[in-house]
Amino acid sequence: MPVGTCHHTAIIAWSKPLLFTLIKSAESKMKTTDTHDGFWTNIVENGLNARTVPLGPNCALSLFKWGPVVAAYPNFPFGLRSREEFIQLMCTETLGTLKGKGVDLLRLGMPASVLAASERPPLVKSVPETVVNELESWSLDALSSIGLYKVRRAVRDGIRIRNATAADCEKIFNLYRHTIKKHNGRLRYTHQYFQILLTASSSGGPLRISVADTPEASCVGFIATLRRGATTFYLHGGFDRDHARMRPGFALMSHLLGLASKDGCARFNMMASPTDQPELIRYKERWGGDTSPIYHWDIAVSAIGKIARLLLTLRR
């Protein structure tokens, strides 16, 4: 089920010696405190029918059922973002209880910086992820002259940015649906999910959904972001093709980057891009983003998980 283009993972088996080494390293560094983000957990559970298994500080598993298979995603949809999160996941206690929780497949995703080169499993799938770093000093000057022209054109043409409300749900869902269809993607999120997302965003917490209006029409584009620690993550976006010339996407992105900078975030993570969409990567880099690989692979926990891993390999 989950997350758009950034979870098309490679399906491989980790060698037992390598796995044993990582477990031992994890056990020696494992922390004992146990907290996780209840705000986002509630959205994932209620909006996506997931179960949550907290593992420790800043790390939890989201469990999704695909027919007879239960797949576990660490820190959905962001993946593992630090060495500490990886250590929490790879301890013997966690790995030993996954099967007891009904998990068949563990789906991993993490930046290259989390693993040492010697720890990376063979045949791992990598996808490009773009992050705007040093966000505290970000400004529109980071844009190319063409990008800056498009932002100014959006303002000149009357694009206005506001916070989304529950009344925008139908339009936001349709924008998401049409945008995914345009790029030959798969619809992974439901109308109900967006209803829950919009309700949660009204609380003024880490979730922000902004929409773009024109003088003639409301909600011709939207972007949803979520702050986690010092990073703001891009979650979803969608735009009306009939108003593309007014550049609502440029207006929204510049607005949200500016807000994240003012909020004191260090990074704006634009998430991963399909490898066959180089234009999307270039678009993200126009905002000052740096692109580096995110590694994905699966670990089978049960016999059913092994079959699922094989089928996913054949489908690639």
Side-chain angles (χ1 to χ4, degrees):
M1 141 146 311
V3 140
T5 55
C6 60
H7 284 84
H8 295 302
T9 59
I11 314 302
I12 68 165
W14 225 344
S15 69
K16 289 184 178 179
L18 176 56
L19 190 59
F20 179 78
T21 300
L22 291 173
I23 289 173
K24 288 300 180 184
S25 172
E27 288 177 324
S28 67
K29 301 176 184 177
M30 184 64 182
K31 298 180 181 179
T32 57
T33 52
D34 183 18
T35 59
H36 62 284
D37 187 354
F39 175 85
W40 181 245
T41 295
N42 289 335
I43 293 173
V44 174
E45 288 181 342
N46 296 322
L48 297 173
N49 298 318
R51 287 190 292 134
T52 302
V53 178
L55 300 181
N58 303 316
C59 192
L61 293 174
S62 294
L63 275 51
F64 298 91
K65 191 169 179 60
W66 312 336
V69 178
V70 175
Y73 288 78
N75 290 345
F76 174 83
F78 320 108
L80 300 172
R81 292 288 155 179
S82 70
R83 184 73 177 174
E84 291 73 22
E85 293 172 355
F86 175 71
I87 287 170
Q88 289 166 22
L89 178 67
M90 296 308 299
C91 72
T92 304
E93 181 182 356
T94 298
L95 294 174
T97 58
L98 285 177
K99 195 170 184 178
K101 297 289 185 180
V103 173
D104 300 300
L105 203 62
L106 179 61
R107 313 207 74 184
L108 299 175
M110 63 191 73
S113 59
V114 171
L115 285 178
S118 61
E119 295 173 338
R120 293 170 195 164
L123 304 178
V124 69
K125 169 82 172 185
S126 70
V127 292
E129 180 183 75
T130 306
V131 180
V132 179
N133 294 297
E134 299 180 1
L135 196 59
E136 61 277 1
S137 61
W138 185 88
S139 71
L140 284 175
D141 294 336
L143 284 174
S144 66
S145 58
I146 293 176
L148 188 58
Y149 166 78
K150 290 177 179 179
V151 172
R152 290 173 173 168
R153 174 170 180 171
V155 175
R156 187 183 69 235
D157 287 351
I159 291 288
R160 294 292 179 266
I161 308 300
R162 61 176 173 83
N163 293 332
T165 69
D168 296 309
C169 186
E170 195 68 32
K171 287 188 176 180
I172 283 176
F173 179 68
N174 284 332
L175 289 173
Y176 158 76
R177 184 163 54 86
H178 292 150
T179 300
I180 293 296
K181 183 178 179 180
K182 175 185 175 182
H183 294 288
N184 298 316
R186 187 174 64 177
L187 290 177
R188 300 174 182 270
Y189 299 95
T190 64
H191 189 278
Q192 177 186 345
Y193 166 78
F194 278 99
Q195 285 180 318
I196 291 172
L197 205 66
L198 282 161
T199 299
S201 71
S202 66
S203 68
L207 176 65
R208 177 177 278 133
I209 305 178
S210 297
V211 300
D213 295 338
T214 72
E216 298 82 22
S218 65
C219 197
V220 298
F222 84 96
I223 292 178
T225 63
L226 182 73
R227 178 170 180 170
R228 184 173 184 261
T231 304
T232 291
F233 289 89
Y234 176 103
L235 290 179
H236 309 289
F239 307 97
D240 185 342
R241 284 181 293 178
D242 293 339
H243 293 86
R245 64 177 180 79
M246 301 181 76
R247 306 299 180 184
F250 276 83
L252 281 163
M253 189 60 74
S254 63
H255 174 76
L256 289 167
L257 280 164
L259 286 180
S261 177
K262 290 179 182 177
D263 287 345
C265 285
R267 294 167 294 279
F268 191 103
N269 191 321
M270 296 183 173
M271 301 294 272
S273 305
T275 54
D276 61 353
Q277 292 186 29
E279 270 301 318
L280 178 58
I281 299 171
R282 284 193 286 270
Y283 166 80
K284 294 176 179 180
E285 291 176 341
R286 289 190 192 118
W287 297 97
D290 301 312
T291 301
S292 58
I294 290 287
Y295 294 126
H296 293 284
W297 68 95
D298 290 359
I299 297 175
V301 180
S302 70
I304 294 177
K306 291 179 181 179
I307 296 172
R309 189 178 64 190
L310 175 62
L311 292 175
L312 288 168
T313 303
L314 296 174
R315 195 181 68 178
R316 285 176 54 206

